[in-house]
Amino acid sequence: MAGRITIGVPRERKDRERRIVLTPSSVSLVTAPGHRVLVEAGAGLGAGFDDDAYRAAGAEIVTEAAEVWAADIVVKVKEPITEEYHHFRSDLTVFSYLHLAAEPELTARLIAAGTAAFAFETLRDTTLPLLAPMSEIAGRAAAIIAAGQLSAAGDGSGTLVGGAAGVPPARAVIIGMGVAGTMAARGLRGLDAHVTGVDLDLGLLLERRLDGTLDATQASEPHALDALIADADVLIGAALVPGARAPRIVTAAQVARMRPGSVVLDLAIDQGGCIATARPTTLSEPTYVEHGVVHYCVTNVPGQFPRTASAALSAAVAPRLVALAGHVEAGTVHDPQRAFALPRVSEAANVVAGEMVHPAIAAAFPDLP
Ligand SMILES: NC(=O)c1ccc[n+]([C@@H]2O[C@H](COP(=O)([O-])OP(=O)(O)OC[C@H]3O[C@@H](n4cnc5c(N)ncnc54)[C@H](O)[C@@H]3O)[C@@H](O)[C@H]2O)c1
C-alpha cells in the first residue's frame, strides 16, 4: 500500500552541527503521500525550528534517538558518527552525506550490518543536486573565513585581502573550479583579491574567465602549481571526483614554501583532502598551524550557517526522499542489482545488502567485499 513508510530525522550529533535535514515546510511535502515522519525532540532548534513547528507540519516528535533509528529510512545531514553505528540493521536505509571514501570504519560497519546507504553527495542527475547547495554555501563561507584568518594568523600576517593604494591585494589560488571553488572565487574577488582558478577542465576555466569570475587560470599540472602556490596568501582546495577519495594535488613541500601567516583552506577534506598537509578539523577547533601556514579544514563548514543551509538542503532533499520512500516500498533499495540506477536517486546507492555498489567507493576499498 502506497505511503506507509516511516522516516526518522535524528538530532545531528557532530561537533557544533546545527543544521537539520528537513525544515517544517519540507516535512509537509513528505507526509502528503501518507508517510510518517518522526523528528527527534529539539533537532530543529539550531536552525530556528521548534518542535511545535514540526508537529504543525505533520511530524511526530520522539524523545529517544533509538525511536528515530527504528524507522524504515533515517534521513540526516552528516554521516553517522561512531555512537550511532549500533543503530544499523539490514532493513534500514540511511540517506545523508556519507563521504565513505574517507570513512573506512563507517563503510565496514554499513557492509557488516547490511544497511542500504544512499549518499547525498553522489546522487546524480545532470549535476550533483544534493551536493551543490552545500558546496555553494561552503564556497561563499570560505571567502569570508580566509579573509578573517589572514588577519588573525599571528606574526607575519595581518594581510587585508583587498590591499590598499600602493599595496597589491592578497593572491588567492583555488584548486577545483566547480560549485564550491566558483563561489569562493566570487567572494574573494568581491573583496578585491587577485584570484587564480585551477582545474583539469579547460572549458570550465574558459567559462570562468569569460564570465569574469577569475583574474587568471592555470591548468592543473603539478609543476605549474609550484610558483603559483609559493606566491599565494590563500590556497583553497575544492577538487572533487564524485565518490572517490579527493585527488592529492598539493604536496607538503609546496605548502612549506608558502609565506608564514598565509592560509590553507581545504574544503575537499570531507573526501580526504586535496592538500597533503590537510587533516580534518572541527568547528570547535577549526585551525592548526603547519609550516607556519594556518590550516582550516572543517568537514562541516555549512553547519555554522544552519538557517540558510537547512533551508537550501531541505528543498533539494525532500523530493528525492519522497522518491526514495517509493523505492523502499517497492523493495528495490535493498537489491544490489537495481539500487544504483533507481529513478530520481540515481548513483546515490553506495552500499547495499553488504556490497559496495558504487564503483568509486569499491575502488577506494579494494580489500573490502
Ligand atoms: N568541508 C565542507 O564543509 C564542504 C561543504 C560542501 C562541499 N565540500 C566539498 O567541496 C568539494 C568540491 O565540491 P563541489 O560541489 O564544488 O564539486 P564540483 O564537482 O562542482 O567541482 C569539482 C571540480 O574539481 C575539479 N577537479 C577534479 N580533479 C581535479 C584535479 N586533479 N585538479 C584540479 N581540479 C580538479 C573538477 O573538474 C570540478 O570542476 C567536495 O569534496 C565537496 O564534498 C566540503
Side-chain angles (χ1 to χ4, degrees):
M1 180 175 137
R4 298 301 309 169
I5 294 300
T6 303
I7 296 164
V9 180
R11 180 172 57 77
E12 296 295 323
R13 283 168 167 75
K14 196 169 172 123
D15 176 60
R16 291 213 203 170
E17 178 55 71
R18 292 187 291 143
R19 283 172 288 179
I20 182 163
V21 70
L22 295 179
T23 59
S25 64
S26 292
V27 166
S28 316
L29 204 99
V30 175
T31 51
H35 302 307
R36 280 179 78 201
V37 175
L38 310 179
V39 176
E40 188 175 350
L45 290 177
F49 305 114
D50 64 15
D51 292 348
D52 284 343
Y54 282 98
R55 281 194 196 94
E60 297 163 47
I61 301 296
V62 298
T63 51
E64 297 298 324
E67 293 175 78
V68 174
W69 280 91
D72 301 303
I73 302 175
V74 164
V75 63
K76 65 193 300 302
V77 181
K78 287 307 287 181
E79 67 279 357
I81 60 173
T82 312
E83 68 184 81
E84 294 170 314
Y85 293 172
H86 70 279
H87 295 300
F88 295 165
R89 42 174 230 281
S90 62
D91 59 351
L92 171 68
T93 299
V94 173
F95 190 35
S96 70
Y97 290 110
L98 290 171
H99 304 292
L100 292 185
E103 293 277 350
E105 173 66 16
L106 173 59
T107 308
R109 292 294 292 261
L110 289 167
I111 290 172
T115 299
F118 282 63
F120 291 167
E121 72 274 10
T122 59
L123 188 151
R124 196 188 272 283
D125 49 24
T126 50
T127 61
L128 298 169
L130 299 192
L131 181 62
M134 294 307 98
S135 293
E136 187 185 353
I137 288 172
R140 281 191 193 278
I144 303 168
I145 293 162
Q149 290 297 332
L150 266 183
S151 68
D155 288 349
S157 63
T159 304
L160 181 63
V161 170
V167 182
R171 302 183 78 84
V173 173
I174 303 177
I175 301 182
M177 285 308 298
V179 177
T182 298
M183 296 317 289
R186 287 174 59 122
L188 284 162
R189 283 203 88 211
L191 297 170
D192 283 342
H194 179 281
V195 183
T196 302
V198 177
D199 208 291
L200 289 173
D201 182 342
L202 300 185
L204 183 63
L205 291 182
L206 176 61
E207 265 178 45
R208 296 293 175 269
R209 280 293 283 159
L210 293 175
D211 67 18
T213 305
L214 296 170
D215 295 291
T217 59
Q218 172 62 57
S220 185
E221 293 163 352
H223 295 303
L225 297 183
D226 274 347
L228 204 58
I229 292 170
D231 260 1
D233 299 288
V234 173
L235 173 64
I236 295 180
L240 174 72
V241 177
R245 198 208 167 283
R248 265 290 155 77
I249 299 163
V250 177
T251 65
Q254 285 172 322
V255 172
R257 286 194 288 273
M258 292 176 74
R259 177 182 62 74
S262 53
V263 173
V264 160
L265 206 153
D266 197 350
L267 292 176
I269 194 66
D270 54 0
Q271 292 289 141
C274 61
I275 297 169
T277 49
R279 53 176 190 271
T281 59
T282 61
L283 285 170
S284 296
E285 285 186 50
T287 60
Y288 59 92
V289 176
E290 198 161 317
H291 302 299
V293 176
V294 179
H295 287 63
Y296 181 103
C297 307
V298 170
T299 53
N300 58 333
V301 173
Q304 61 201 299
F305 305 98
R307 280 189 70 81
T308 307
S310 301
L313 182 61
S314 176
V317 165
R320 311 288 176 158
L321 176 61
V322 171
L324 186 67
H327 299 313
V328 169
E329 283 184 292
T332 41
V333 292
H334 294 289
D335 179 348
Q337 307 303 319
R338 300 175 65 187
F340 191 63
L342 293 172
R344 305 276 292 150
V345 292
S346 181
E347 300 189 27
N350 281 198
V351 173
V352 167
E355 288 180 35
M356 289 184 284
V357 295
H358 194 297
I361 312 294
F365 299 112
D367 299 332
L368 289 175

